[in-house]
């Protein structure tokens, strides 16, 4: 071991190094009042939001069977994350900051709807209704959805949905959106299935007409 400041060299009998590799969602900006006494997140509050986030991912139509199975293996913990970190995903655990980097959490009491937000642009990024309970706070549902996205293989660079942005502003909610390419592919598959069904129906009808007329011909004979 070399100490550059003192120009000395020495040795250590033992040492350890802990490295945690993960993807973190960061708060955008700084809270209006640092350490303003926001209540820390509780396990019960987190559990309710996790249930809704799981439901939204499961119902999104974006996941294959393997990804759906992954949802059942996720572990969540509340932690005092450093700096502006709101959530952190590691190989086996998703950590959620206890006080939303000082902003305080918006814990939606009706998480199945987005009534506390508005999306005037229709791009999947909602803004809190002025004067509402979500204004000025970090949306817990967005952070949980985001971190689950990392577990499912998504990252900040590859996905075009606002949900997977590297930062989140207070009062914003991002939801799961389907890209135009995916929507087009799904539409194409549905059209192909419909065409195939119509073809089968026409063939069945033609066969029925053929045999019906064939029987008539035999009776006449």
């Amino acid at each position: 071991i070399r100490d550059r400041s003192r120009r000395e060299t020495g040795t250590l009998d033992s040492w350890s190094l802990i490295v945690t590799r993960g993807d973190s969602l960061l708060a955008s900006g700084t809270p209006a009042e640092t350490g303003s006494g926001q209540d820390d997140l509780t396990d019960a509050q987190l559990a309710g939001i996790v249930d809704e986030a799981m439901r939204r991912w499961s119902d999104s139509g974006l996941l294959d069977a393997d990804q759906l199975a992954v949802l059942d293996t996720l572990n969540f913990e509340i932690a005092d994350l450093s700096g502006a970190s709101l959530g952190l995903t590691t190989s086996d655990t998703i950590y959620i900051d206890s006080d939303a980097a000082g902003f305080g959490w918006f814990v939606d009491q009706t998480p199945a709807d987005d009534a506390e937000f508005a999306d005037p642009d229709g791009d999947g990024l909602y803004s809190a209704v002025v004067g509402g309970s979500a204004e000025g706070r970090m949306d817990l549902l967005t952070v949980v959805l985001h971190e689950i996205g990392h577990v499912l293989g998504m990252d900040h660079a590859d996905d075009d949905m606002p949900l997977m942005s590297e930062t989140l502003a207070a009062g914003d909610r991002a939801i799961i959106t389907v890209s135009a390419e995916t929507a087009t592919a799904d539409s194409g598959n549905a059209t192909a299935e419909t065409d195939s069904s119509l073809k089968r129906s026409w063939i069945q009808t033609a066969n029925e007409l053929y045999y019906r007329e064939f029987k008539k011909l035999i009776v006449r004979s």
Side-chain angles (χ1 to χ4, degrees):
I1 303 298
R2 180 178 295 276
D3 182 350
R4 291 186 177 181
S5 63
R6 296 186 178 183
R7 301 294 192 274
E8 296 176 354
T9 301
T11 61
L12 293 176
D13 292 331
S14 64
W15 58 277
S16 63
L17 178 64
I18 300 175
V19 177
T20 300
R21 183 181 183 280
D23 293 295
S24 183
L25 175 60
L26 303 177
S28 175
T30 55
E33 298 180 21
T34 304
S36 58
Q38 300 285 8
D39 292 336
D40 283 350
L41 184 65
T42 68
D43 290 331
Q45 289 174 325
L46 178 58
I49 297 299
V50 167
D51 287 344
E52 173 58 19
M54 296 286 198
R55 184 196 67 78
R56 292 197 182 203
W57 273 117
S58 297
D59 294 347
S60 69
L62 299 176
L63 309 185
D64 58 29
D66 290 338
Q67 289 173 312
L68 288 171
V70 167
L71 295 181
D72 294 329
T73 69
L74 299 183
N75 298 310
F76 288 83
E77 289 188 18
I78 299 171
D80 183 12
L81 301 179
S82 62
S85 294
L86 298 170
L88 174 67
T89 297
T90 65
S91 59
D92 58 358
T93 303
I94 292 175
Y95 296 94
I96 303 297
D97 190 50
S98 58
D99 67 351
F103 286 89
W105 288 112
F106 169 61
V107 182
D108 200 341
Q109 299 302 307
T110 56
D113 64 55
D114 304 308
E116 299 85 0
F117 300 84
D119 182 18
D121 299 328
D123 61 355
L125 182 61
Y126 290 64
S127 297
V129 174
V130 176
S133 55
E135 187 178 20
R137 289 175 173 256
M138 289 294 171
D139 182 44
L140 180 59
L141 178 60
T142 297
V143 176
V144 173
L145 286 169
H146 176 102
E147 297 303 334
I148 292 176
H150 284 312
V151 175
L152 296 173
M154 304 172 189
D155 59 37
H156 299 145
D158 294 339
D159 277 84
D160 57 1
M161 66 173 74
L163 176 63
M164 295 312 296
S165 174
E166 190 173 4
T167 61
L168 179 67
D172 282 356
R173 167 170 289 182
I175 64 171
I176 303 167
T177 54
V178 180
S179 67
E181 292 80 2
T182 301
T184 300
D186 290 344
S187 176
N189 291 337
T191 300
E193 290 176 0
T194 301
D195 290 345
S196 177
S197 178
L198 286 173
K199 287 178 182 178
R200 289 195 298 271
S201 178
W202 278 110
I203 291 173
Q204 181 178 358
T205 302
N207 286 338
E208 290 175 354
L209 288 173
Y210 172 81
Y211 285 111
R212 194 180 303 158
E213 294 302 318
F214 182 70
K215 288 180 179 179
K216 288 180 181 178
L217 181 61
I218 292 176
V219 171
R220 291 195 195 102
S221 301

